[in-house]
Structure formats: structure tokens, C-alpha cells
Amino acid sequence: MYNIERTAQIATEMRNYNLTILKLSETRWTQTGKVELFSGELLLYSGHDSENAPHTEGVGIMISKTVARSLIEWETS
């Protein structure tokens, strides 16, 4: 899922099913971070520590625009 087109597709499906929080596995993104989509959803992800690591593993949470407004802080461990 490490390309942005897939992320937008998942956000569309999330809206179609009226979901506010979606847990994602095998995101295949490296390092940790967050991406705000044009549609307002927020993707929080965590993967390998190294930027040069293979695109394997990784997890993420996609939250709706409404839930994202309620998010105060996010920290990975």
C-alpha cells in the first residue's frame, strides 16, 4: 500500500462504508509519520526504522476528518 493512489482508494472505501476509524496492516511504509489526504482523512503509520529498509511490514490507522479534529497527539513507541 505504500503508494498514495492506494491510500486514496482506501479512504474512498472508508467513506462508502461510513467508517470513522480503520486499522491497516501491511502498509509497507518505512519510518513513522502521518499523511493528511485531500479529502480530510488522516493516515498515521509506522514501519521499519530505516528509510532504506525494504517495503515490508508496517501498520497504520486511517481516521476520518471528524475524528482527526479530535486527535490531540500521536506518538509511536
Side-chain angles (χ1 to χ4, degrees), residues 2-69:
Y2 67 93
N3 63 29
I4 200 69
E5 292 84 22
R6 296 283 173 126
T7 305
Q9 182 181 10
I10 291 169
T12 299
E13 290 299 318
M14 188 174 157
R15 286 190 305 277
N16 288 343
Y17 285 98
N18 230 5
L19 301 174
T20 56
I21 300 174
L22 181 65
K23 184 261 183 197
L24 303 166
S25 61
E26 296 297 325
T27 57
R28 302 178 188 267
W29 287 25
T30 58
Q31 301 180 319
T32 60
K34 62 183 178 178
V35 175
E36 185 173 352
L37 305 177
F38 291 117
S39 55
E41 288 83 9
L42 185 64
L43 172 64
L44 309 169
Y45 63 90
S46 179
H48 285 287
D49 289 337
S50 172
E51 187 175 326
N52 297 328
H55 289 277
T56 60
E57 303 172 6
V59 294
I61 300 171
M62 187 173 289
I63 57 178
S64 69
K65 185 189 318 186
T66 306
V67 173
R69 285 188 294 220

